[in-house]
């Protein structure tokens, strides 16, 4: 293990030495890692990208910013790359107008005007963490996103129940949506309760799970979700990694043993 960019990002923004929300894919013979540059509460942010032939420390080349946002934009940086049939689609967004998607001509260049297609959430919703996934066993594409607030180290107060981080989803027939949840409504709608089917929420010793990613495990032959959470018995401490299998046989993702 080792740092991808030990000497900070070349992107000249606050937070460029404290990168977060990495998303990695294998594209055209190289490993491609997207990362976020931002500070909490600021809309001045960027999505950067680095590439490596092997993922080994010291082999990463920082290719700079792909998407930037500024005060007044209706989007913010937080990203996931969906790849299908050599087509690249970059999902991004956090708070403000929430989650969008733009096609890419290459790993560094947008193929359309920002912010692109609106995938999930709405103005003012605490939603982020776009992750588009199509299981081999399903005809549907699923748009996973994190909703609510994630606690930080040192926090001492609990949020009202249901306002903490959780993983929600919608499904559709295209990787660019529209995505609906089990009520049949679009996940971009401002509804009460908030739009999206619950996949993973607080339970047992898991509090505020989110920041999810999914992949197919060729060893077990099963779909897997990875996420971060805070232990219920150590609230206010560091986050931990959670990993579970996911079953799509009902038509919707269900966490299973």
């Amino acid at each position: 293990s080792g740092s991808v960019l030990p000497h900070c990002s070349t992107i000249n923004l606050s937070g460029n030495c404290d990168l977060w929300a990495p998303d990695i894919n294998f594209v055209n013979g190289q490993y491609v890692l997207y990362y976020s540059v931002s500070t909490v509460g600021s809309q001045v942010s960027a999505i950067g990208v680095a590439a490596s032939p092997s993922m080994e420390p010291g082999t990463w080349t920082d290719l700079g910013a792909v998407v930037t946002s500024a005060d007044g934009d209706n989007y913010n940086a937080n990203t996931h790359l969906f790849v299908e049939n050599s087509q690249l689609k970059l999902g991004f967004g956090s708070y403000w107008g929430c989650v969008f998607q733009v096609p890419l001509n290459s790993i560094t260049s947008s193929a359309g005007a920002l912010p692109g297609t609106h995938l999930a959430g709405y103005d003012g919703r605490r939603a982020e963490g776009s992750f588009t996934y199509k299981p081999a066993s399903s005809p549907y594409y699923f748009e996973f996103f994190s909703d609510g607030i994630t606690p930080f180290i040192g926090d001492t107060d609990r949020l009202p129940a249901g306002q903490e981080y959780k993983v929600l989803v919608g499904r559709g027939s295209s990787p660019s949506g529209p995505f609906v949840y089990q009520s049949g409504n679009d996940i971009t709608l401002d509804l009460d309760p908030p739009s999206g089917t619950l996949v993973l929420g607080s339970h047992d010793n898991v509090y505020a799970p989110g920041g999810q990613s999914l992949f197919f495990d060729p060893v077990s032959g099963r779909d897997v979700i990875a996420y971060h959470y805070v232990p219920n018995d150590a609230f206010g401490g560091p986050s931990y990694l959670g990993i579970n299998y996911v079953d799509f046989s009902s038509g919707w993702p269900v966490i299973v043993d």
Side-chain angles (χ1 to χ4, degrees):
S1 63
S3 177
V4 171
L5 299 176
H7 305 297
C8 308
S9 168
T10 58
I11 299 171
N12 187 24
L13 288 178
S14 178
N16 69 344
C17 291
D18 187 21
L19 310 177
W20 56 281
D23 179 81
I24 192 163
N25 282 271
F26 190 69
V27 180
N28 296 331
Q30 63 181 342
Y31 294 94
V32 177
L33 184 143
Y34 290 86
Y35 60 86
S36 295
V37 178
S38 68
T39 53
V40 175
S42 173
Q43 197 175 3
V44 180
S45 61
I47 297 166
V49 63
S52 165
S54 65
M55 293 198 294
E56 293 298 320
T59 66
W60 291 95
T61 300
D62 188 5
L63 303 176
V66 179
V67 171
T68 59
S69 62
D71 289 332
D73 289 333
N74 67 333
Y75 60 92
N76 196 26
N78 187 319
T79 190
H80 163 63
L81 182 71
F82 180 78
V83 183
E84 184 178 60
N85 299 326
S86 300
Q87 300 297 307
L88 309 179
K89 298 178 183 294
L90 190 71
F92 64 94
S94 176
Y95 289 50
W96 284 274
C98 292
V99 175
F100 298 88
Q101 183 191 84
V102 65
L104 301 182
N105 281 325
S106 71
I107 61 171
T108 59
S109 63
S110 171
L114 295 172
T117 302
H118 188 193
L119 297 187
Y122 46 82
D123 287 345
R125 183 171 182 179
R126 293 162 171 165
E128 59 189 8
S130 167
F131 199 95
T132 309
Y133 184 70
K134 186 185 183 303
S137 61
S138 174
Y140 296 107
Y141 296 83
F142 292 86
E143 179 63 20
F144 293 83
F145 62 102
S146 299
D147 176 84
I149 299 174
T150 186
F152 292 103
I153 292 177
D155 282 352
T156 57
D157 296 324
R158 286 289 176 97
L159 296 159
Q163 292 188 20
E164 76 275 14
Y165 235 31
K166 66 192 78 65
V167 179
L168 303 179
V169 74
R171 75 181 188 188
S173 59
S174 161
S176 299
F179 297 103
V180 301
Y181 61 113
Q182 283 177 293
S183 71
N185 290 314
D186 196 293
I187 58 174
T188 61
L189 296 178
D190 184 355
L191 301 173
D192 185 19
S195 53
T197 291
L198 179 67
V199 178
L200 181 64
S202 298
H203 64 282
D204 301 328
N205 200 37
V206 173
Y207 182 75
Q212 69 292 325
S213 59
L214 290 95
F215 62 94
F216 177 76
D217 173 29
V219 176
S220 65
R222 302 171 72 178
D223 297 295
V224 176
I225 185 171
Y227 54 93
H228 59 73
Y229 71 95
V230 176
N232 247 327
D233 59 7
F235 179 79
S239 293
Y240 287 79
L241 173 65
I243 300 175
N244 292 97
Y245 290 122
V246 187
D247 178 57
F248 288 89
S249 63
S250 69
W252 294 92
V254 177
I255 305 298
V256 292
D257 294 331

